[in-house]
Amino acid sequence: MNILEEIKDAKKYNLHSHTEFCDGRAQMIAFAEKAVKSNFDVYGFSPHSPVPIISSCNMLKDNAERYLNQVKEIQHQYSSAKTRFFAGMEIDFLGKEWGPSHPYFDTLNLDYRIGSVHFIPDFTGELIDVDGHYDRFMQKMHDNFRNDIRYVVETFYAHSIEMVNAGGFDIIGHFDKIGDNSSHFKPGIEDEPWYQSLVNELIDVIIAKKPIVEINTKVYAQRGRLFPSERYWDKLIQGGVNIIVSSDAHVPALIDASLDDVKGLLAKHYQ
């Protein structure tokens, strides 16, 4: 399936959301009901993928078939509605041994795949989730990373580049998300030349490989942040990259959070 074709005429869509199958806080049917009531043309579910490590945020492998069957049930239940539903997955890249290009994901018959980095190895090789709330990130910086923020940032972008080169996904999710936590740890870090060089190196690989780039609106209303940052949009556009806007909703009330505002902001970059 070409997910871009599915949304090209959609006035309202969202391809990034999390439900009870991972760290979402409501059942899939509640998201589906909200999508229909909110007049969405296209709505995609994207639970955090199974991973071969212990993670309370990720779907269990044993639940993958049940998830896919539930999408089919929702598609059938709302077959007469305007909203079309699709089965996606946000697949964690953990390194060479696990990521969107792993053959396991070919067995799932997904409509689309989002590739994202949430975990990086600490100095012992243990994979640590660096995507959590500020307080947990600060604790992990102390406990797992010796407060070496440069190591964390460099490893995040190195893994992101490795993931893009490996392929196996349609959309790259929130590709500079580490900037949020790293800026909390060290204000101003995103303006430092070495940091921007890492982001631009990743963008160069994205331009070469051409995955779809997601602009993630999850915290825009609360903190004014978008992932990727608006400062990088022009380079992506000039590089011929297709860009979509999704909300990364974890509760039904936020499935359309800031979507219209950010689509309007993005449109100005194409003028």
Side-chain angles (χ1 to χ4, degrees):
M1 171 181 288
N2 183 336
I3 196 63
L4 275 179
E5 285 295 313
E6 298 295 336
I7 66 170
K8 71 175 183 179
D9 296 321
K11 293 182 179 179
K12 195 167 188 177
Y13 68 85
N14 183 37
L15 297 178
H16 194 156
S17 65
H18 299 285
T19 69
E20 80 274 20
F21 282 97
C22 54
D23 63 344
R25 297 190 290 278
Q27 295 186 338
M28 282 178 64
I29 190 62
F31 285 83
E33 290 171 354
K34 178 65 174 177
V36 171
K37 289 178 181 177
S38 299
N39 207 32
F40 273 78
D41 298 290
V42 172
Y43 194 83
F45 300 101
S46 59
H48 290 291
S49 71
V51 289
I53 59 174
I54 296 173
S55 170
S56 61
C57 293
N58 288 75
M59 168 186 282
L60 296 175
K61 205 170 186 178
D62 290 346
N63 285 337
E65 184 176 358
R66 186 162 66 89
Y67 157 65
L68 293 169
N69 286 336
Q70 195 158 331
V71 175
K72 291 177 183 177
E73 291 173 7
I74 287 171
Q75 289 169 335
H76 177 73
Q77 181 174 344
Y78 290 105
S79 59
S80 61
K82 172 185 177 182
T83 309
R84 292 178 295 131
F85 294 95
F86 293 96
M89 189 170 284
E90 184 176 17
I91 302 173
D92 275 292
F93 181 83
L94 303 182
K96 290 182 174 64
E97 301 303 318
W98 192 262
S101 62
H102 192 283
Y104 164 72
F105 296 103
D106 294 334
T107 70
L108 298 183
N109 196 29
L110 296 165
D111 294 320
Y112 66 95
R113 306 179 194 181
I114 300 172
S116 296
V117 174
H118 299 96
F119 297 85
I120 66 168
D122 67 7
F123 295 111
T124 71
E126 181 182 357
L127 287 161
I128 305 297
D129 184 356
V130 293
D131 191 56
H133 294 296
Y134 292 150
D135 55 346
R136 294 202 297 270
F137 180 78
M138 298 294 275
Q139 190 64 46
K140 290 172 183 177
M141 284 299 301
H142 176 270
D143 293 345
N144 299 97
F145 297 111
R146 305 172 192 162
N147 288 322
D148 188 343
I149 191 62
R150 185 150 182 164
Y151 167 82
V152 170
V153 170
E154 288 177 344
T155 305
F156 178 91
Y157 285 113
H159 273 225
S160 298
I161 288 171
E162 190 176 352
M163 179 182 72
V164 174
N165 279 323
F169 62 97
D170 305 285
I171 303 162
I172 184 167
H174 49 58
F175 73 67
D176 67 345
K177 185 79 185 303
I178 194 63
D180 192 16
N181 276 338
S182 62
S183 290
H184 185 75
F185 182 86
K186 185 183 180 184
I189 192 172
E190 290 177 277
D191 296 322
E192 295 182 16
W194 69 269
Y195 182 99
Q196 293 191 9
S197 178
L198 291 172
V199 182
N200 281 303
E201 183 180 359
L202 172 58
I203 291 174
D204 288 340
V205 177
I206 290 170
I207 290 171
K209 295 294 185 178
K210 291 293 190 294
I212 303 164
V213 165
E214 165 200 89
I215 295 177
N216 188 301
T217 69
K218 181 179 178 180
V219 298
Y220 185 61
Q222 296 80 21
R223 302 205 294 272
R225 290 201 61 118
L226 294 165
F227 310 110
S229 168
E230 189 179 356
R231 71 173 77 185
Y232 301 113
W233 295 2
D234 287 341
K235 181 174 181 177
L236 292 164
I237 292 168
Q238 291 163 12
V241 174
N242 290 303
I243 299 174
I244 65 170
V245 180
S246 286
S247 72
D248 196 355
H250 287 63
V251 294
L254 296 179
I255 63 173
D256 57 357
S258 303
L259 292 183
D260 289 340
D261 289 343
V262 176
K263 285 179 183 177
L265 189 62
L266 178 62
K268 294 179 181 178
H269 285 260
Y270 284 95
Q271 295 175 353

